[in-house]
Amino acid sequence: MDSTKSLRVIDFGRVSGLRSQTLWHAIAHGVSSGAPPTLSFMQPDESYVSIGYHRGIDELNPHNELPVYRRMVGGGPVYVDDGQYFFQIVVPLAMAPARRGDAIRTLLEPAVEAFNDVGISATLDARNEVVVGDRKICGHAAGQISGSVVVVGNLITRFDHLAAASIVRAPSEVAREEFLAQMRRYVLATPADSGLFLEAATRRYGERLGLGAEPGTLTDEERDQLDVFDTLFVDPEWVDGLSTHQNGMWRAKVKSGVWVGSATCDGHRVTASFHDDEIKEVRVEGPDGTFEEMDQLLAALAANPPI
Amino acid sequence: MTSLRIKGFEVRTDRLYDLVHHMWVKDVGDGRVRIGMDSLGVETSGTLAHLSAVAVGTVVSRGEPFGSLEAEKYVGPLVAPLSGTIVAVNDEVFSDPRKVESDPYESGWMIEMETADLAAERGGMIEGNDAIARRFAEKVTEYRLEGVLAE
């Protein structure tokens, strides 16, 4: 395969939760070493939690019993199961725009076209969320791994909002309920045929990158690298990752611009949902009576959105 | 310290620049240099959400990552502009990356390194008022032509 003119397409089918992460990390190293730009697809055959590179393990529900895998791309902790069909586009660094936001947008646009091709009226909003109306339909993350740029996303054919809301550490049941309510409002499953999506995405990415799509497999080097990642991703030190800075406030993002925050003051807990800097819902837990500091607490929460 | 405004971007001429990775290097004496991100790097990164750095005492080679940044769910490396040992990390910046955006050349510094031979390392970087102004302007123009920066 001519690595300068081809888009390698690999359909891994159903894979373990671990492999649904490590396979594309191995591809990123392969592309960095000269393998062609690659579009891959896979569906995990089990439920797990995927946590972003910089996020703290202490953001997860301490009662979580699902496997946790730390990815090398961004974003927060997410629940993954077999109702989510994943795609990954991996290109050499030189093929991606230098501005990070532009790189994500450029590498998500063909996926949005593919969603439309299979009957989903998706758009890419100003915050780079793939949405139908105002509801998020695709979880995505991106990063530079070695000398390649990776954008990962999913076709959500079925979404378990309750399970997704349960994986995060919440400071109270009220906060978790509010997070769940906002997830139900703003995260939408879009059942579509994954095979058709694969065909459409292959066509759209090939057109966008100006490359002819060709079925491919992992290189020997990528297989070796896969072994490395299979070991690394279950290493407790890697999974635990870095500590976080929460400033005493709890924040959980539903989608870009929509989040739930919670903090305490004088024995009261205030939980609020925020939509584009507007406070939409406020719930107060604590003793009866006037809580004069609530305005200040809400202002402090509003000033500290999750990024 | 001399501050210049080049096509809308601030640049300080009292330091060296690696314009490939948008890092500045300032000699702070005793074989130590302070390292941070230049204003073009800040602009092209987007809103910084997270920063991380390797531990103090780590030896890093030029061109290798000394940490990572995350903006808009995109994780990328922070690339060392020279080789040496990391001797200090600016904890304030790593706790609140917004400081890099608000003051990239002073309080937004990221790390300090000890380098065995700064004179030898200088060759790969840009220094001097004229060279810095010219190369920075060229980079802005290049980014505008590529659509990386708005006009």
Side-chain angles (χ1 to χ4, degrees):
Chain A
M1 185 182 294
D2 184 341
S3 67
T4 61
K5 294 181 179 168
S6 299
L7 174 66
R8 178 176 55 162
V9 179
I10 309 179
D11 177 10
F12 289 105
R14 288 177 73 88
V15 297
S16 69
L18 175 64
R19 282 288 170 88
S20 73
Q21 292 291 324
T22 56
L23 277 163
W24 55 269
H25 284 81
I27 289 172
H29 274 269
V31 172
S32 301
S33 302
T38 301
L39 178 64
S40 55
F41 300 89
M42 62 194 65
Q43 183 178 18
D45 65 5
E46 60 187 329
S47 303
Y48 68 93
V49 175
S50 171
I51 187 164
Y53 181 74
H54 285 110
R55 304 300 285 266
I57 199 78
D58 51 357
E59 293 182 54
L60 298 180
N61 188 334
H63 302 299
N64 169 61
E65 294 183 348
L66 295 172
V68 178
Y69 303 120
R70 180 177 298 279
R71 58 189 185 266
M72 292 182 174
V73 294
V78 293
Y79 169 79
V80 177
D81 67 14
D82 63 359
Q84 300 171 41
Y85 182 72
F86 285 86
F87 63 91
Q88 300 89 24
I89 180 72
V90 186
V91 301
L93 198 53
M95 282 182 69
R99 182 192 277 270
R100 291 174 176 82
D102 292 347
I104 294 173
R105 196 164 191 88
T106 299
L107 293 173
L108 273 180
E109 282 172 345
V112 174
E113 293 168 350
F115 280 119
N116 280 272
D117 290 342
V118 298
I120 301 166
S121 302
T123 57
L124 194 56
D125 74 11
R127 297 173 187 266
N128 283 345
E129 288 282 19
V130 183
V131 294
V132 170
D134 62 0
R135 303 177 80 180
K136 173 178 178 169
I137 63 155
C138 169
H140 76 269
Q144 179 184 334
I145 298 177
S146 192
S148 62
V149 173
V150 183
V151 174
V152 186
N154 59 2
L155 164 68
I156 306 172
T157 60
R158 185 187 71 250
F159 193 67
D160 188 337
H161 295 85
L162 181 59
S166 299
I167 60 127
V168 297
R169 179 193 291 268
S172 73
E173 279 311 303
V174 167
R176 189 181 304 286
E177 285 170 13
E178 183 61 26
F179 184 48
L180 175 59
Q182 296 301 322
M183 293 265 280
R184 285 186 165 138
R185 167 67 182 83
Y186 283 106
V187 182
L188 177 69
T190 51
D193 186 286
S194 59
L196 294 176
F197 178 77
L198 181 153
E199 290 175 13
T202 299
R203 184 172 64 253
R204 293 295 191 176
Y205 275 102
E207 288 170 358
R208 176 59 61 96
L209 298 173
L211 301 171
E214 291 185 28
T217 57
L218 293 183
T219 64
D220 289 344
E221 182 183 347
E222 288 167 339
R223 289 182 197 284
D224 291 343
Q225 198 63 46
L226 182 60
D227 291 338
V228 173
F229 283 123
D230 281 349
T231 302
L232 175 68
F233 274 44
V234 295
D235 181 336
E237 191 176 339
W238 171 258
V239 174
D240 284 352
L242 312 154
S243 62
T244 54
H245 306 278
Q246 287 277 344
N247 299 327
M249 297 177 187
W250 176 82
R251 289 84 50 90
K253 191 156 117 178
V254 178
K255 66 166 198 165
S256 289
V258 177
W259 55 284
V260 178
S262 186
T264 57
C265 184
D266 290 344
H268 293 79
R269 171 165 291 284
V270 175
T271 299
S273 53
F274 298 83
H275 299 189
D276 294 324
D277 303 327
E278 282 186 33
I279 299 168
K280 290 294 184 184
E281 299 283 340
V282 180
R283 301 169 76 174
V284 181
E285 301 166 79
D288 291 339
T290 306
F291 177 36
E292 294 180 350
E293 292 81 12
M294 188 169 75
D295 285 349
Q296 294 98 300
L297 202 55
L298 284 169
L301 278 169
N304 287 277
I307 300 174
Chain B
M1 178 272 289
T2 304
S3 174
L4 300 176
R5 201 97 195 143
I6 307 291
K7 299 193 172 192
F9 293 92
E10 186 190 10
V11 62
R12 302 280 174 92
T13 56
D14 59 349
R15 57 200 78 194
L16 314 168
Y17 288 87
D18 169 357
L19 282 183
V20 174
H21 301 107
H22 291 300
M23 306 303 292
W24 55 258
V25 176
K26 186 175 182 183
D27 187 350
V28 292
D30 295 331
R32 289 168 77 120
V33 294
R34 188 167 274 189
I35 294 171
M37 182 182 284
D38 71 30
S39 56
L40 264 180
V42 170
E43 175 66 20
T44 55
S45 290
T47 303
L48 295 175
H50 302 281
L51 290 172
S52 64
V54 297
V56 167
T58 304
V59 177
V60 180
S61 296
R62 178 187 203 142
E64 287 183 351
F66 69 81
S68 63
L69 63 80
E70 180 172 339
E72 301 179 45
K73 296 189 194 175
Y74 186 118
V75 172
L78 294 166
V79 177
L82 43 69
S83 303
T85 303
I86 295 179
V87 293
V89 169
N90 186 352
D91 287 331
E92 285 190 19
V93 155
F94 285 86
S95 297
D96 182 3
R98 288 174 295 188
K99 286 187 167 64
V100 175
E101 297 173 43
S102 60
D103 189 16
Y105 293 113
E106 296 299 333
S107 63
W109 65 274
M110 293 178 172
I111 58 167
E112 286 186 352
M113 289 175 76
E114 274 182 3
T115 181
D117 189 356
L118 179 59
E121 297 274 2
R122 305 182 87 98
M125 287 180 279
I126 298 159
E127 61 179 314
N129 289 17
D130 292 346
I132 290 171
R134 187 180 74 254
R135 297 289 296 279
F136 212 83
E138 288 171 357
K139 199 73 183 176
V140 174
T141 300
E142 175 189 325
Y143 279 172
R144 286 189 171 146
L145 287 171
E146 291 175 356
V148 173
L149 297 173
E151 287 292 338

